[in-house]
Amino acid sequence: QVQLRELGPRLVKPSQTLSLTCTVSGDSLSSGGYYWSWIRQPAGERLEWIGRFFSSSGNTDYNPSLKSRVTISVDTAKNQFSLEFNSVTAADTAVYYCAKGAGSVAFGVWGQGSMVTVSS
Amino acid sequence: EIVLTQSPGTLSLSPGERATLSCRASQSISRTYLAWYQQKPGQAPRLLIYGASNRATGIPDRFSGSGSGTDFTLTISGLEPEDFAVYYCQQFGSSPQYTFGQGTKVEIK
C-alpha cells in the first residue's frame, strides 16, 4: 500500500524559502510511469495544484501562476521528492499535500498534509 | 484557466436522503478529465470518482458521477453518517493545469 508523508518546517519567515519533502513508502519513484504532485490548501479556500514530476522521464510541470517561485526535485535514492517555494508571503500559508497521480488526470493517493505558516 | 463553480455551497440533509452536487466548468471539458473528492476535517482529500463517472477503488456504489461538457454531477444515493463532508470537483486541462472547485459542504440537517 502506497503511503506518502510530508515533512518540513511549520513556520517560515516572509521572503524566505519554504522547503518540504515527501517520503514515499510502498512504491518506488524510480520505476513505473506515474505523476507525483504538490498541492496546497489555504484555510477555508479551494485546493491549488502547485506542480508535478513524471517518474519515467523526470520532467516537471508547474502551475503557471506559481512557476516563477517553485522547484520540484526528486531523490530516487531516498525515495523522496521535494518542493522549494521561494520569496514566500503570508498568502502562502496553507496545508501542503503531496500526492500520487491516478493516471495523469487525478490524484489517487495523498499524504496527510503539512501545515505551513508564513509569519515573522 | 478553466474555472470550476460548485453549487450549492452547503447542502443540509438527513441520513438516508439523496444528495445531488453540481460542478459547472467555465468552458467545455472532456469527461475523461473530471474527478470528485471527499474531504473530512483534518484529513486529506480522497478520490471518489475519475473520468466523470468511474468510481475509484473501494468507493461504495452509492456514489455516482455523471455529466458532460460544462455540467457535472455527483450523486450520493442514500447518505450514510460517514458521508457528511466537503466535496470537491477537479479538472485536468492543457498546459498542463489542474484546477479545483470551491467545494460543497454536505452537513447533517
Side-chain angles (χ1 to χ4, degrees):
Chain A
Q1 182 179 356
V2 182
Q3 292 186 319
L4 289 74
R5 185 180 179 190
E6 304 89 351
L7 291 171
R10 293 188 172 273
L11 182 65
V12 180
K13 294 185 187 304
S15 80
Q16 293 190 344
T17 296
L18 181 162
S19 297
L20 290 168
T21 296
C22 181
T23 298
V24 178
S25 58
D27 202 343
S28 172
L29 291 176
S30 59
S31 66
Y34 289 96
Y35 289 96
W36 302 85
S37 285
W38 286 98
I39 298 157
R40 68 180 183 177
Q41 187 174 32
E45 297 186 26
R46 70 181 71 196
L47 295 145
E48 181 178 36
W49 175 71
I50 300 169
R52 70 179 187 179
F53 80 93
F54 187 51
S55 57
S56 290
S57 64
N59 287 347
T60 54
D61 300 297
Y62 299 108
N63 185 325
S65 68
L66 303 172
K67 185 175 183 177
S68 63
R69 298 196 291 133
V70 174
T71 302
I72 292 174
S73 59
V74 59
D75 185 337
T76 54
K78 294 182 178 180
N79 217 35
Q80 296 174 336
F81 64 104
S82 298
L83 170 70
E84 286 201 341
F85 210 125
N86 58 41
S87 304
V88 296
T89 69
D92 296 312
T93 294
V95 177
Y96 286 76
Y97 297 99
C98 55
K100 179 184 178 181
S104 62
V105 301
F107 308 102
V109 183
W110 296 63
Q112 86 280 7
S114 179
M115 177 67 208
V116 180
T117 300
V118 179
S119 175
S120 56
Chain B
E1 174 183 313
I2 295 176
V3 177
L4 298 179
T5 303
Q6 293 185 239
S7 61
T10 302
L11 201 49
S12 298
L13 295 168
S14 301
E17 289 193 297
R18 181 186 189 92
T20 302
L21 288 66
S22 173
C23 176
R24 178 162 290 178
S26 58
Q27 56 187 275
S28 183
I29 58 177
S30 168
R31 288 173 51 87
T32 303
Y33 300 146
L34 195 286
W36 289 92
Y37 300 82
Q38 176 194 69
Q39 186 177 35
K40 297 179 180 179
Q43 296 184 17
R46 176 174 70 143
L47 178 65
L48 298 175
I49 301 285
Y50 64 94
S53 59
N54 302 294
R55 278 186 297 276
T57 303
I59 302 303
D61 60 7
R62 63 180 180 273
F63 291 92
S64 63
S66 63
S68 64
T70 60
D71 292 301
F72 297 87
T73 301
L74 174 69
T75 302
I76 311 171
S77 60
L79 284 164
E80 297 288 340
E82 62 269 26
D83 299 337
F84 292 92
V86 180
Y87 293 84
Y88 294 95
C89 57
Q90 171 252 310
Q91 70 87 31
F92 171 70
S94 60
S95 296
Q97 172 71 292
Y98 302 85
T99 56
F100 293 83
Q102 83 280 20
T104 290
K105 181 180 181 180
V106 179
E107 65 175 22
I108 300 176
K109 186 174 182 180

